[in-house]
Amino acid sequence: MASVLNTVSSITLSNSNANRIRTRPVLEPISVSFTRRRLTIRATETDANEAVKSQAPDKAPAARGSNFNQLLGIKGAAQETNKWKIRLQLTKPVTWPPLVWGVVCGAAASGNFHWNLEDVSKSIVCMMMSGPCLTGYTQTLNDWYDREIDAINEPYRPIPSGAISENEVITQIWLLLLGGLGLAGILDVWAGHDIPIIFYLALGGSLLSYIYSAPPLKLKQNGWIGNFALGASYISLPWWAGQALFGTLTPDIIVLTILYSIAGLGIAIVNDFKSVEGDRAMGLQSLPVAFGAETAKWICVGAIDITQISVAGYLLGAGKPYYALALLALIIPQVVFQFQYFLKDPVKYDVKYQASAQPFLVLGLLVTALATSH
C-alpha cells in the first residue's frame, strides 16, 4: 500500500452520489476506484525499467563488460551463457597467482628444489592443488554464501543473476574440494612423507575457507579476524605446502610467514571498499564499515608496509643485510603507488593499485624465501 501511495498521481473516487475528483498526472497514470463492495486498482505500463537503469548504471555493467574480465572473474565482466566459462568465472582465476607464487617461495625456502623433471612436475601439481582446485573451491564457496550480498553489490554476478543453478554450484564446490585433497594426498606419497603433512595443510586450509564464508562462524563478519585468515590462506599455507614438499617446515618459517600474513590482511582490506554497501546492509563488520573508509585505508597500507619493514629488520638481525636492503628497495614503489592510487580513491583505483603495487610485494616474498634458504 505504501508503494501505491508513493506513486499514485491520479485518483478517481466514485459512488452513487459522489462527484469525481481528479488530480493532474505527474509521473504515471494509475486509477483507483472505490465502490461499496470492492477496490480495483489499474496501472498502465511505464518506462520504470529505463528509469532504474538510468539511476543505477553501476549495478548492471555486465551488458557492456569485458570477456577477458569474465574469464578472470573480476569486476566489469561480460554476461556469459556458456556454463564452462561461468564455472571458470566462479573460481576467480585472477586470485590463483598469489597461491602459485606461495608454492614457489616455499620451494625456494626449502633449499632442496632442483631444476629437474621430477621436482618441476611436483611443483606444478602443488600449484594446481593450491590454485585452480583449492582456491577455486574457496572462491566458489564464498560466492555461494555471499549471494545475498552480491545481489546488492553485484547483482549481475553468476549466482544472484541465475546464470548457474544451485545444484551446479554445489557440485562444483565438492568437485574442486575433493580434487584438491586428492592431489594433496598424491603429493605426500610422491614426497615419501610418513605423516601426510600436505594433506593436513590442504584439509586445514579448506576448513578455514569454509568457516570464513559459512555461518555460524563466518569469520569474514569480523574485519580483523576474517582478513587475517584470508591473508594466512594466501601467503602462509601455499608457502608451507611448497616447503614441506621439498624440505622440512621449521618453526621459524612458520612464525615468519604468519607475520607476513599481516600484510595479507592489508591486501584483503583493499577488496572490502567496493562492498561497503552490501556489507553494511548484511551486518558484516568489514574494516571500511567499522572504521569508515578514511581510517580503513590507512590501516590497510600500514599493515602492508609495517609488516614488510619488520621482516626486513628480522633479516638484518639474522645477518642477511643484502636481502634486507633488497626487501626495503621493493617497499618503496609500493608506498609510491599507495599515494598515487589507493589513498586517493580506494574504490576507483583498487584494481590499478593492486596491479601496480602487488608485483613488488610478491617479489619481496621471494627475496625473503631465498634469504631463509641460505
Side-chain angles (χ1 to χ4, degrees):
M1 181 60 75
S3 62
V4 172
L5 293 177
N6 287 333
T7 57
V8 167
S9 58
S10 176
I11 302 175
T12 304
L13 298 175
S14 62
N15 56 29
S16 57
N17 299 317
N19 294 324
R20 290 184 175 179
I21 303 174
R22 186 178 302 275
T23 62
R24 182 181 179 85
V26 177
L27 294 176
E28 61 207 42
I30 297 179
S31 65
V32 181
S33 61
F34 293 92
T35 65
R36 291 180 181 180
R37 298 184 181 274
R38 64 182 181 179
L39 165 68
T40 304
I41 300 176
R42 296 186 305 275
T44 63
E45 294 182 357
T46 69
D47 294 329
N49 290 337
E50 293 180 5
V52 171
K53 288 181 182 177
S54 64
Q55 291 171 5
D58 293 335
K59 291 297 182 183
R64 60 180 184 276
S66 162
N67 290 325
F68 183 69
N69 288 9
Q70 189 274 327
L71 291 175
L72 292 180
I74 60 178
K75 185 168 59 176
Q79 198 161 18
E80 183 58 65
T81 57
N82 184 294
K83 280 297 171 66
W84 288 106
K85 289 184 177 180
I86 292 171
R87 290 183 183 280
L88 182 64
Q89 181 182 359
L90 285 175
T91 66
K92 291 190 178 71
V94 73
T95 63
W96 301 351
L99 283 293
V100 171
W101 191 255
V103 173
V104 171
C105 292
S110 73
N112 293 321
F113 176 83
H114 300 93
W115 287 99
N116 56 46
L117 180 60
E118 182 178 9
D119 282 4
V120 170
S121 299
K122 283 180 182 178
S123 63
I124 291 174
V125 173
C126 194
M127 292 171 186
M128 292 291 295
M129 174 198 74
S130 301
C133 289
L134 293 183
T135 306
Y137 151 78
T138 298
Q139 296 295 346
T140 307
L141 183 75
N142 188 61
D143 266 27
W144 172 248
Y145 283 107
D146 271 3
R147 60 193 185 277
E148 293 180 356
I149 297 176
D150 285 342
I152 299 171
N153 292 325
E154 300 175 279
Y156 46 83
R157 287 196 58 77
I159 297 176
S161 69
I164 187 168
S165 71
E166 174 181 334
N167 288 336
E168 288 170 326
V169 175
I170 293 173
T171 300
Q172 175 163 320
I173 290 170
W174 277 107
L175 287 176
L176 291 171
L177 173 62
L178 295 177
L181 295 177
L183 290 178
I186 291 171
L187 287 170
D188 278 315
V189 173
W190 199 348
H193 292 159
D194 294 328
I195 299 174
I197 184 170
I198 299 177
F199 177 81
Y200 289 155
L201 287 173
L203 187 62
S206 301
L207 177 61
L208 183 62
S209 298
Y210 179 79
I211 64 175
Y212 172 81
S213 299
L217 295 179
K218 199 163 189 172
L219 300 182
K220 67 184 299 178
Q221 292 182 114
N222 182 291
W224 293 107
I225 298 174
N227 285 331
F228 183 78
L230 196 61
S233 298
Y234 273 77
I235 294 176
S236 298
L237 287 174
W239 183 316
W240 295 350
Q243 185 153 350
L245 180 60
F246 295 102
T248 303
L249 189 57
T250 56
D252 59 324
I253 289 295
I254 293 175
V255 172
L256 186 63
T257 50
I258 288 176
L259 176 62
Y260 238 123
S261 297
I262 299 174
L265 178 149
I267 295 170
I269 296 172
V270 174
N271 296 316
D272 287 339
F273 287 91
K274 65 184 179 183
S275 304
V276 169
E277 180 184 348
D279 289 347
R280 186 179 287 117
M282 300 304 296
L284 300 183
Q285 288 298 303
S286 66
L287 295 187
V289 171
F291 294 96
E294 191 64 27
T295 301
K297 67 184 182 183
W298 285 103
I299 294 173
C300 173
V301 299
I304 294 171
D305 297 342
I306 293 172
T307 297
Q308 294 178 91
I309 293 170
S310 301
V311 172
Y314 168 83
L315 295 178
L316 185 63
K320 303 179 186 296
Y322 296 112
Y323 288 103
L325 288 173
L327 183 55
L328 287 172
L330 290 168
I331 296 172
I332 294 171
Q334 295 178 60
V335 175
V336 171
F337 288 125
Q338 286 164 0
F339 280 94
Q340 184 176 354
Y341 297 124
F342 182 73
L343 292 173
K344 283 185 178 179
D345 190 332
V347 177
K348 182 179 180 180
Y349 296 118
D350 61 337
V351 175
K352 186 174 287 188
Y353 162 68
Q354 293 188 77
S356 303
Q358 283 196 18
F360 294 98
L361 186 142
V362 298
L363 283 175
L365 280 170
L366 183 59
V367 167
T368 305
L370 292 171
T372 58
S373 69
H374 291 83

